[in-house]
Amino acid sequence: MSKIVTWKNSNGKLLGNEIVDAEKQLNIKFPQDYIEVVSNNDGGYPHPNKFKFNDKEEVFNNLISFKEDDYSNIFEVLEDVSDRIVKGVIPIAEDPFGNLICFDFRDKKVPNVIFWNHEVADKDSEKSILFICETFTKLLNMLY
């Protein structure tokens, strides 16, 4: 990764098979660039944390955790939005307003990074998905 991103208030390193177990349960394979970051900064808050796409400024608040006892773990988040999120869209981060940054696994094994708008999802789950970029590394490089 070319951009310097520091992570604050993380749960630290993942020590077990949390990511592998999640991949098995979700029937997906997370990209390696994402695994490297989340393995060392589970639940962390990036600095810098703003990015622009679609002519709007957004905030990357925190990585979603893989630790079972974290209230914001991947399975709790998925359960909370299960009635509104499209199957194959997997949350990886949150903004401070209830929206999610996700991987879109619907069309290919290597997922794009998308923005999931919770307010639009209440009306139309497909229209709630907005493309951000092709990879997690590109997302980190967009931060300012």
Side-chain angles (χ1 to χ4, degrees), residues 7-9 15 25 42 57 84 100 105 112 119 124 129 131 133 137 143:
W7 297 89
K8 300 178 182 193
N9 301 322
L15 302 175
Q25 279 188 266
D42 183 71
E57 183 176 78
R84 298 174 290 147
L100 299 170
F105 284 97
N112 288 321
E119 291 169 348
D124 186 332
I129 297 170
F131 175 82
C133 60
T137 297
L143 297 177

Side-chain angles (χ1 to χ4, degrees), residues 87-98:
K87 184 176 165 90
V89 172
I90 307 297
I92 59 167
E94 300 173 298
D95 81 356
F97 312 109

Side-chain angles (χ1 to χ4, degrees), residues 50-106:
K50 294 178 184 154
F51 63 99
K52 282 188 180 175
F53 83 104
N54 288 358
D55 296 325
K56 291 172 62 178
E57 183 176 78
E58 299 293 346
V59 177
F60 184 139
N61 195 59
N62 63 286
L63 288 168
I64 290 174
S65 178
F66 281 86
K67 294 193 176 184
E68 193 175 310
D69 60 346
D70 190 310
Y71 75 93
S72 183
N73 75 60
I74 190 166
F75 294 108
E76 291 289 327
V77 172
L78 269 171
E79 185 177 321
D80 289 346
V81 299
S82 64
D83 60 333
R84 298 174 290 147
I85 201 163
V86 176
K87 184 176 165 90
V89 172
I90 307 297
I92 59 167
E94 300 173 298
D95 81 356
F97 312 109
N99 303 305
L100 299 170
I101 298 167
C102 306
F103 283 133
D104 184 353
F105 284 97
R106 292 177 298 165

Side-chain angles (χ1 to χ4, degrees), residues 123-134:
K123 299 174 200 99
D124 186 332
S125 58
E126 197 62 46
K127 288 184 179 175
S128 68
I129 297 170
L130 302 169
F131 175 82
I132 299 174
C133 60
E134 293 87 6

Side-chain angles (χ1 to χ4, degrees), residues 1 19 31-41:
M1 283 172 235
I19 295 172
Q32 191 60 38
D33 58 348
Y34 168 72
I35 291 171
E36 288 171 12
V37 171
V38 78
S39 293
N40 292 307
N41 304 286

